[in-house]
């Protein structure tokens, strides 16, 4: 981390043991990080969002005391190579997550943020045996119908152009620091200048760590072609939705409707934040998660 951009959650992270590991899943290598005590009573597998990687969820992890969190990089992002010989469809990502959990943490609670919420919901609806499901900034309705549907359509064109231009030009477009900054500015809601600088620095560092333009385009098409509402009615697992009142991708009204589609779901709304709960209000998210885990555990006794 650059000294010029302090990490507001660094002290908490430094107090947590972290190990980097790898595992063979779906014929390929998956890199993942284990946070917290190995003997913790509760284990969460946390799935990051589109264009991100495991670092993005660290601020939330930093506030989850006494919980073991396993955070993989999605195939094609961060340090995990693309799935060998497969297109990166939702079915492929859900199968990867199901096998990953079976390999490293059978019976773990599953958490998904943003695009990760779609992957997690699809996997659990498809049979991943998770005792609890936690969705942060869930994509609760089709992205093209969100409050910034026009911008989503521009994003469709952007990723299409990146995939169709000559490879060198397309790659440069997709990794453009200017466009990454525009994305970052549009999502951040906080007025705290230091926190905004941290958010932009995180996006500058990690938003272009995708394997190549092909996997990025496939993952983007997957992200805008599906949403959690498709899978909610089939998920009987107790579920927590942590939603933002100012989310530009899924409006809070849609999140309230989404809650009603689940047989067993709780909705926590966080005020003053948008699609970056994990950066702007990680403490509030972690508190909601901890309450949910305590309450749902009491309900099973």
């Amino acid at each position: 981390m650059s000294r010029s951009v302090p990490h507001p959650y660094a002290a908490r992270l430094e107090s947590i043991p972290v190990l980097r590991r790898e595992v063979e899943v779906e014929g390929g290598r998956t890199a993942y990080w284990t946070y917290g005590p190995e003997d913790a009573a509760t284990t969460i597998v946390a799935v990051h969002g589109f264009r991100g990687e495991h670092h993005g969820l660290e601020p939330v992890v930093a506030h989850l005391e006494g919980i073991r969190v396993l955070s993989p990089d999605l195939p094609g992002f961060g340090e995990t190579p693309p799935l060998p010989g497969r297109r990166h469809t939702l079915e492929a990502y859900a199968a990867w997550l199901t096998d990953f959990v079976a390999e490293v943490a059978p019976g773990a609670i599953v958490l998904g943020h943003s695009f990760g919420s779609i992957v997690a919901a699809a996997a659990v609806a498809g049979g991943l045996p998770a005792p609890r499901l936690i969705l942060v900034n869930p994509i609760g309705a089709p992205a093209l119908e969100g409050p910034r549907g026009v911008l989503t359509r521009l994003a469709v064109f952007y990723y299409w152009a990146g995939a169709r231009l000559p490879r060198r030009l397309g790659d440069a477009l997709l990794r453009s620091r200017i466009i990454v900054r525009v994305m970052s500015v549009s999502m951040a809601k906080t007025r705290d200048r230091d926190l905004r600088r941290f958010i932009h620095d995180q996006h500058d560092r990690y938003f272009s760590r995708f394997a190549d333009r092909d996997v990025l385009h496939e993952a983007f098409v997957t992200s805008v072609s599906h949403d959690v509402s498709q899978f909610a009615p089939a998920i009987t697992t107790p579920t927590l939705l942590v939603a933002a009142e100012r989310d530009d991708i899924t409006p809070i009204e849609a999140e309230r409707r989404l809650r009603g589609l689940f047989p067993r779901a709780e909705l926590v709304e966080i005020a003053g934040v948008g699609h970056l709960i994990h950066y702007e209000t990680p403490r509030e998210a972690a508190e909601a998660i901890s309450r949910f885990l305590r309450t749902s555990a009491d309900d099973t006794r």
Side-chain angles (χ1 to χ4, degrees):
M1 178 65 60
S2 169
R3 291 183 181 179
S4 62
V5 184
H7 193 309
Y9 313 110
R12 299 188 69 95
L13 283 170
E14 288 168 1
S15 69
I16 300 173
V18 183
L19 292 173
R20 183 194 183 282
R21 292 173 169 148
E22 294 185 1
V23 64
E24 293 291 321
V25 180
E26 291 289 296
R29 172 177 58 84
T30 291
Y32 69 101
W33 286 257
T34 300
Y35 300 83
E38 291 287 334
D39 60 351
T42 301
T43 296
I44 295 175
V45 171
V47 187
H48 64 77
F50 177 69
R51 281 195 72 146
E53 37 102 282
H54 71 280
H55 284 98
L57 290 172
E58 283 189 335
V60 177
V61 172
H63 290 83
L64 290 172
E65 297 181 4
I67 293 176
R68 178 173 175 250
V69 179
L70 277 58
S71 187
D73 283 347
L74 281 166
F77 297 89
E79 297 183 29
T80 299
L83 294 169
R86 299 185 66 178
R87 293 182 63 82
H88 293 75
T89 62
L90 182 56
E91 292 75 17
Y93 276 123
W96 163 83
L97 178 58
T98 300
D99 288 354
F100 175 80
V101 173
E103 285 289 332
V104 303
I109 294 160
V110 174
L111 180 152
H113 171 259
S114 189
F115 175 52
S117 73
I118 304 175
V119 175
V124 172
L128 170 59
R132 304 287 182 271
L133 176 63
I134 301 164
L135 305 180
V136 181
N137 283 124
I139 308 299
L144 293 175
E145 297 178 7
R148 292 199 175 184
V150 172
L151 290 182
T152 303
R153 288 177 173 82
L154 288 174
V156 170
F157 175 76
Y158 166 69
Y159 287 105
W160 174 86
R164 294 299 182 91
L165 286 169
R167 185 165 293 274
R168 186 173 179 180
L169 288 175
D171 192 69
L173 175 67
L174 293 170
R175 298 182 194 272
S176 167
R177 290 177 67 89
I178 295 174
I179 293 178
V180 168
R181 179 55 57 90
V182 169
M183 294 178 186
S184 188
V185 169
S186 69
M187 289 189 290
K189 304 302 182 187
T190 179
R191 295 184 178 180
D192 184 317
R193 294 179 63 181
D194 290 338
L195 184 54
R196 290 182 72 89
R197 290 176 64 215
F198 166 71
I199 291 168
H200 299 332
D201 182 69
Q202 290 285 291
H203 287 145
D204 287 346
R205 288 172 181 267
Y206 305 122
F207 234 43
S208 293
R209 295 190 67 200
F210 51 88
D212 55 53
R213 67 177 187 170
D214 296 324
V215 69
L216 184 66
H217 183 252
E218 290 172 3
F220 175 75
V221 171
T222 296
S223 72
V224 298
S225 301
H226 302 278
D227 65 85
V228 174
S229 69
Q230 298 173 248
F231 308 102
I235 297 174
T236 58
T237 300
T239 300
L240 171 66
L241 310 176
V242 184
E245 290 186 355
R246 298 178 64 193
D247 199 325
D248 293 320
I249 295 179
T250 302
I252 195 63
E253 294 80 9
E255 303 286 28
R256 292 165 183 163
R257 290 194 295 271
L258 177 65
R259 175 183 56 184
L261 297 178
F262 282 90
R264 302 171 66 187
E266 172 187 343
L267 172 65
V268 172
E269 301 179 12
I270 300 181
V273 67
H275 202 65
L276 302 181
I277 282 176
H278 57 309
Y279 284 144
E280 296 188 34
T281 56
R283 178 179 58 82
E284 291 86 345
E287 288 174 351
I289 291 167
S290 297
R291 285 196 302 270
F292 170 70
L293 296 181
R294 288 195 302 269
T295 302
S296 56
D298 290 342
D299 289 345
T300 61
R301 292 174 186 171

